[in-house]
């Protein structure tokens, strides 16, 4: 029997977790539970990461954590245990499934438009590294990392999941028309991976267009994979399409450890009253059973849940107000009573359990550090971010004096828009410029050349930051300024 770690959480957490586990027990789910200490009361005991060392050890040795919502104490300078867990254990893919639940009224369910969309969001990189600096008193910078191995991990997971799900289409949401290098890399990896899955229709959609299409024709989408921030926004949009966050399950999947939880919080306003809705946590639990290959148990429970919702049974937070609401325990009991029944719409096929494959990770050798790029890398220039409030022509003259024999000043931009050698006097300027220096005739430079330029420029300016301009062969590994 597979053993998993369970953290009941805070607020309504214990009530909804007990309800879900009672459903699992009635369905004879072949799992054993080891309860671990995580959440507010663990912070209060003095553990600054919100979990006891025993909890961490148990989760790391079992590999699966099923968790209720947890509260982060405010004003104590501690970080959310939910985020810590996702980052510490490298759960690089956030999977959220959104489906029409008959009985949960939305404009789409009323219009008879079925929704069954799975959003896979990259969970570690992007602006969520939180690497931010004030460069001048008026200019803030956030660094956005998109890496090839990080993109590959999450995209590969999305394709594997789509294949298992029997999906017809997988789409990549992105903004590569603007962020040509970062989102461009994500998109490039998407199409590389797509070649291994010829049976799936793979395409890409620009994220703003994706949002519009999801709202007008959600039934056209199946699996969508996105970078972190865009995925965060799009997944909440999809939650709205199917009735709100209360019906949104979530899986944070990694190679070694995966976390299954509901998206909603601890609902302190209704905690302890046994009236909370356990549906989102149950849907997350069903996702966990599927992840573990327990397809038979998953479809039995999911069909019973869908049948129960379809028959109009509800807790107090949704459904027909003219029929009495059930409390949490009664709602779980109603689902158990409906085992073996199938909903009229969206019934899940009865699948057989499949042995789950547990990846063994070699933590001594970090495979993500090995680059597959074989073409030699060359430094061909540098972007110097300079604090200055003089006009571009004045700045250019000064910069040119520092260029020496190895560099030429190619252009100057302000907030990404070129302002020298050509530009418009209508462009608003802030007190930080990017002066781009490239090597003369594309010669290869070294780091000492860059430092030499830095030292020279620093006699005249405060240099806030610099970025090397790399090239692989003839391919420039940096973007052009708007208007360049
Ligand atoms: P919340 O999701 O807890 O509550 C928002 C509203 O939705 C409340 O009116 C609540 O009663 C209702 N609600 C939420 N879940 C429900 C359920 N299952 N059944 C019926 N009604 C439900 O969001 P809020 O108030 O912003 O956060 C409360 C606490 O939860 C905070 O401490 C926050 O840090 C934590 N939180 C934890 C999360 C996690 O563990 N993954 C995620 C989001 C918030």
């Amino acid at each position: 029997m597979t053993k998993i770690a369970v953290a009941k959480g805070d607020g309504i957490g214990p009530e909804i977790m007990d309800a879900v586990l009672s459903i699992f027990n009635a369905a004879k789910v072949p799992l054993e539970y080891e309860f671990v200490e995580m959440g507010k009361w663990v912070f209060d005991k003095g553990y600054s990461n919100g979990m006891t060392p025993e909890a961490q050890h148990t989760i790391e040795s079992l590999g699966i954590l099923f968790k209720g919502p947890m509260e982060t104490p405010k004003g104590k300078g501690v970080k959310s245990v939910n985020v810590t867990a996702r980052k510490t254990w490298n759960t690089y893919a956030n999977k959220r499934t959104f489906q029409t639940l008959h009985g949960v009224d939305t404009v789409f369910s009323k219009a008879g438009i079925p929704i069954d969309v799975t959003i896979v969001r990259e969970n570690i990189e992007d602006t969520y590294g939180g690497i931010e600096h004030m460069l001048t008193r008026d200019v803030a910078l956030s660094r956005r990392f998109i890496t090839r191995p990080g993109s590959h991990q999450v995209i590969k997971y999305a394709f594997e999941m789509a294949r298992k799900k029997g999906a017809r289409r997988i789409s990549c949401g992105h903004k590569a028309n603007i962020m040509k290098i970062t989102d461009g890399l994500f998109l490039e990896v998407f199409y590389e991976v797509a070649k291994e899955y010829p049976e799936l229709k793979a395409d890409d959609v620009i994220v703003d267009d994706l949002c519009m299409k999801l709202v007008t024709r959600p039934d056209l989408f199946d699996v969508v994979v996105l970078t972190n921030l865009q995925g965060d926004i799009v997944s909440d949009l999809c939650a709205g399409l199917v009735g709100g966050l209360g019906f949104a399950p979530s899986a944070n999947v990694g190679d070694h450890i995966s976390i299954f939880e509901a998206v909603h919080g601890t609902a302190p306003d209704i905690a302890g009253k046994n009236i909370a809705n356990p549906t989102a946590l149950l849907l997350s639990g069903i996702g966990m059973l599927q992840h573990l290959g327990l397809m038979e148990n998953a479809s039995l429970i999911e069909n019973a849940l869908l049948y129960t919702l379809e028959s109009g049974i509800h807790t107090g937070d949704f459904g027909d107000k003219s029929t009495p609401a059930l409390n949490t325990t009664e709602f779980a009991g109603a689902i158990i009573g409906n085992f073996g029944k199938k909903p009229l719409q969206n019934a899940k096929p009865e699948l057989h359990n499949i042995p789950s494959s547990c990846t063994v990770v070699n933590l001594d050798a970090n495979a993500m550090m090995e680059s597959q790029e074989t073409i030699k890398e060359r430094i061909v220039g540098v972007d110097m971010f300079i604090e200055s409030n003089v006009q571009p022509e004045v700045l250019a003259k000064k910069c040119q004096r520092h260029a020496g024999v190895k560099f030429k000043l190619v252009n100057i931009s302000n907030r990404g828009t070129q302002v020298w050698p050509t530009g418009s006097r209508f462009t608003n300027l802030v007190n930080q410029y990017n002066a781009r220096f490239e090597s003369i005739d594309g010669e290869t430079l070294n780091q000492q050349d860059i430092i030499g330029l830095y030292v020279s420029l620093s006699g005249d300016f405060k240099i806030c930051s610099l970025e090397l301009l790399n090239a692989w062969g003839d391919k420039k590994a940096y973007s052009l300024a708007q208007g360049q």
Side-chain angles (χ1 to χ4, degrees), residues 178-199:
I178 303 295
M179 292 176 282
K180 292 187 168 59
I181 302 228
T182 47
D183 272 24
L185 175 61
F186 193 76
L187 188 58
E188 183 186 315
V189 174
F190 175 81
Y191 280 117
E192 266 167 27
V193 175
K195 288 185 204 145
E196 300 165 33
Y197 300 83
E199 75 280 15

Side-chain angles (χ1 to χ4, degrees), residues 14 37 103 109 124 196 198 221 228 277 343 377 400 481:
E37 297 184 59
S109 66
I124 310 270
E196 300 165 33
F221 293 92
N228 204 341
N277 179 1
E377 180 183 293
Q400 280 166 325

Side-chain angles (χ1 to χ4, degrees), residues 175-181 383 385 410-424 427-429 433-434 436 478-484:
K175 195 75 188 170
N177 53 331
I178 303 295
M179 292 176 282
K180 292 187 168 59
I181 302 228
D383 277 347
F385 294 86
V410 180
N411 79 329
I412 297 176
S413 58
N414 196 294
R415 292 192 289 169
T417 303
Q418 178 169 294
V419 292
W420 183 92
T422 55
S424 162
T427 304
N428 265 344
L429 303 175
Y433 288 97
N434 175 13
R436 173 164 289 180
Y478 49 93
S479 59
L480 299 182
Q482 197 74 40
Q484 189 178 348

Side-chain angles (χ1 to χ4, degrees), residues 159-169 200 222-223:
F159 272 91
E160 276 298 309
M161 189 274 300
R163 176 185 270 170
K164 263 195 217 153
K165 184 186 172 206
R168 53 200 193 301
R169 177 181 181 193
L200 283 170
D222 200 341
V223 174

Side-chain angles (χ1 to χ4, degrees), residues 19 22-23 26 278 282 300-301 303-309 311-315 325-341:
S22 75
I23 296 169
L282 181 59
L300 173 83
I301 297 171
N303 277 329
L305 167 68
L306 297 178
Y307 181 90
T308 306
L309 294 173
S311 34
I313 291 172
H314 63 95
T315 47
L326 300 192
N327 68 29
T328 312
T329 323
E330 291 163 346
F331 187 74
I335 295 169
I336 295 169
N338 287 331
F339 279 171
K341 294 183 183 153

Side-chain angles (χ1 to χ4, degrees), residues 75-277:
K76 288 194 180 174
V78 292
K79 298 230 173 178
S80 153
V81 61
N82 307 305
V83 180
T84 303
R86 285 173 220 155
K87 286 197 164 184
T88 311
W89 293 315
N90 194 38
T91 58
Y92 53 78
N94 177 235
K95 174 192 158 202
R96 287 167 65 181
T97 302
F98 305 96
Q99 56 174 320
T100 309
L101 299 165
H102 294 278
V104 182
D105 278 347
T106 67
V107 276
F108 296 103
S109 66
K110 284 182 187 160
I113 298 172
I115 301 177
D116 188 359
V117 184
T118 303
I119 304 291
V120 178
R121 159 190 170 196
E122 197 286 317
N123 224 6
I124 310 270
E125 305 190 337
D126 202 341
T127 44
Y128 285 66
I131 306 165
E132 301 199 319
H133 298 91
M134 289 301 295
L135 295 190
T136 77
R137 263 174 288 181
D138 294 342
V139 179
L141 172 79
S142 167
R143 289 193 157 229
R144 175 173 198 250
F145 284 105
I146 301 291
T147 72
R148 187 181 293 279
S151 304
H152 188 266
Q153 267 186 334
V154 66
I155 290 168
K156 182 84 185 163
Y157 166 77
F159 272 91
E160 276 298 309
M161 189 274 300
R163 176 185 270 170
K164 263 195 217 153
K165 184 186 172 206
R168 53 200 193 301
R169 177 181 181 193
I170 177 164
S171 314
C172 177
H174 64 89
K175 195 75 188 170
N177 53 331
I178 303 295
M179 292 176 282
K180 292 187 168 59
I181 302 228
T182 47
D183 272 24
L185 175 61
F186 193 76
L187 188 58
E188 183 186 315
V189 174
F190 175 81
Y191 280 117
E192 266 167 27
V193 175
K195 288 185 204 145
E196 300 165 33
Y197 300 83
E199 75 280 15
L200 283 170
K201 180 181 177 317
D203 55 18
D204 67 280
V205 195
I206 292 176
V207 68
D208 36 352
D209 188 27
L210 173 68
C211 289
M212 198 263 292
K213 287 192 171 122
L214 278 168
V215 171
T216 50
R217 288 296 306 274
D219 51 320
L220 295 182
F221 293 92
D222 200 341
V223 174
V224 186
V225 59
L226 302 110
T227 52
N228 204 341
L229 176 61
Q230 294 168 29
D232 193 5
I233 297 165
V234 169
S235 50
D236 271 21
L237 181 149
C238 289
L241 301 179
V242 296
L245 291 180
F247 298 94
S250 169
N252 293 291
V253 180
D255 280 341
H256 187 57
I257 295 167
S258 297
I259 305 167
F260 297 83
E261 62 182 341
V263 175
H264 62 72
T266 58
D269 49 334
I270 56 166
K273 296 182 180 162
N274 192 32
I275 55 169
N277 179 1

